[in-house]
Every structure is written in C-alpha cells, then in structure tokens.
Amino acid sequence: MVIRQGKLEDIESLRKIDNLSLKAKHSTDYFLENLGNIMVTIDSGRVLGYIMCKGEEISNLVVHPDFRKKGIGNSLVKEVMKKSKRLILRTRETNRDAYIFFKKIGFTKKRKIQKYYSNGDNAIEMEFKKQ
Ligand SMILES: CC(C)(COP(=O)(O)OP(=O)(O)OC[C@H]1O[C@@H](n2cnc3c(N)ncnc32)[C@H](O)[C@@H]1OP(=O)(O)O)[C@@H](O)C(=O)NCCC(=O)NCCS
C-alpha cells in the first residue's frame, strides 16, 4: 500500500468513492482544480481512499466503504500531519463516525457552526495542534 500525490488517472476513482460515501459529491472539474492538494492511498493499482488538504484545512477525507477500519484514514491524516503544525476541519454534526475518528487521531472540538451546509446541517469544527 502506498500514499502518493493524486494524478489525472485517479479522478474517476475519486468520484466513485465520493458517490459511495458522501451527501455532497464533487465534480470532475473540482478534482481537476484540486489535484495538487490531494493524496491517495493505492493498493494493487486501486485507489482506496484520499485526503484533500489546502493549507491548514482538511477539506475531504474519504475511504472506500469496503476498506474502512483498516487504518487507511489514519495513515492519510498522519501523512498531512507530518508537514503541518496545525490542521482544522469541519464535519457534519450528524457524522458521529468522523467525529470519533478525528478525536482518536488527536483533534479536539473547537466550535459548532450552525447551518454550515447547504442542506441546513450544522458543522463541528475540529483542530489539531502539534505539541
Ligand atoms: C472517517 C473515515 C475517513 C475513517 O477512515 P478509516 O480508514 O475507516 O479509519 P481507520 O481505520 O484509519 O480508523 C482510525 C481509528 O478510528 C476508529 N474509527 C474509524 N471509523 C470508526 C467508526 N465508524 N466508529 C468508531 N471508530 C472508528 C478506528 O477504530 C481506529 O481506531 P484505533 O486506531 O483505536 O483502532 C471513513 O469512515 C470514511 O471515509 N467515512 C465517510 C466520509 C467521511 O465521513 N469523512 C470524514 C468527514 S471529512
């Protein structure tokens, strides 16, 4: 299993993983514009998950549903932690799995943002600071 920078050839897989996982899906153009901020996990030539991090902000972290709870999300976050003193992210208040995941990995809750998402869902903002 390797983690590497996202490439053009990954975009179709990234879209599929989004479709299987997220309420708000991203377009091909969105991935094209953001490829430079994406790291992917590859196993036997297959994309199993990705993280998108712009500056200090983790904007997406998605692991293919068939490959969750195997440490892939953890290793993607650790990869961006290596290069960052501080990271922030926002996740839906309803997404308890993500909240538990990020707490375990060292993030703490900063604040709640009311009606942050277009469907009216609240967001929880979380922060990681290197000691
Ligand atoms: C959140 C997500 C990225 C986690 O990825 P993952 O590869 O399954 O996570 P890992 O296997 O690396 O788990 C790391 C730790 O979090 C825990 N964890 C992961 N998912 C969990 C869940 N659903 N409930 C409780 N704990 C969970 C694991 O048990 C593990 O703890 P451990 O080290 O003590 O064993 C994945 O569930 C996902 O893609 N969810 C849908 C998209 C999403 O919600 N993204 C986050 C919002 S930006």
Side-chain angles (χ1 to χ4, degrees):
M1 217 178 282
V2 293
I3 296 179
R4 61 151 170 80
Q5 179 92 41
K7 295 182 187 175
L8 274 180
E9 70 206 43
D10 301 327
I11 290 179
E12 198 49 41
S13 304
L14 299 177
R15 294 201 65 209
K16 279 191 190 144
I17 292 172
D18 264 18
N19 281 331
L20 292 168
S21 307
L22 299 184
K23 280 192 182 166
K25 291 135 182 92
H26 300 108
S27 65
T28 300
D29 283 350
Y30 174 85
F31 283 118
L32 263 177
E33 282 161 25
N34 289 290
L35 259 188
N37 301 313
I38 291 177
M39 303 293 290
V40 296
T41 300
I42 307 283
D43 191 34
S44 306
R46 187 170 175 195
V47 181
L48 303 187
Y50 76 94
I51 191 165
M52 185 185 297
C53 189
K54 296 186 201 173
E56 292 188 327
E57 185 178 349
I58 296 177
S59 34
N60 301 325
L61 170 70
V62 191
V63 174
H64 188 294
D66 294 346
F67 298 92
R68 289 185 190 159
K69 300 212 175 164
K70 296 176 188 298
I72 293 172
N74 186 305
S75 57
L76 282 166
V77 176
K78 293 271 165 67
E79 188 66 26
V80 299
M81 278 176 165
K82 278 192 220 162
K83 306 167 212 153
S84 319
K85 286 193 174 136
R86 176 179 181 265
L87 291 166
I88 61 149
L89 62 91
R90 293 175 202 98
T91 182
R92 282 175 208 271
E93 189 178 24
T94 49
N95 193 348
R96 292 302 297 170
D97 288 357
Y99 183 76
I100 292 166
F101 167 83
F102 282 112
K103 273 212 89 129
K104 272 197 170 173
I105 217 164
F107 283 74
T108 53
K109 179 177 171 178
K110 282 285 280 180
R111 61 182 175 133
K112 174 150 108 175
I113 310 172
Q114 300 285 349
K115 297 195 167 60
Y116 178 78
Y117 294 98
S118 54
N119 71 345
D121 280 359
N122 301 330
I124 301 295
E125 188 169 271
M126 302 183 79
E127 181 184 47
F128 165 80
K129 273 187 185 166
K130 214 173 249 174
Q131 299 298 327

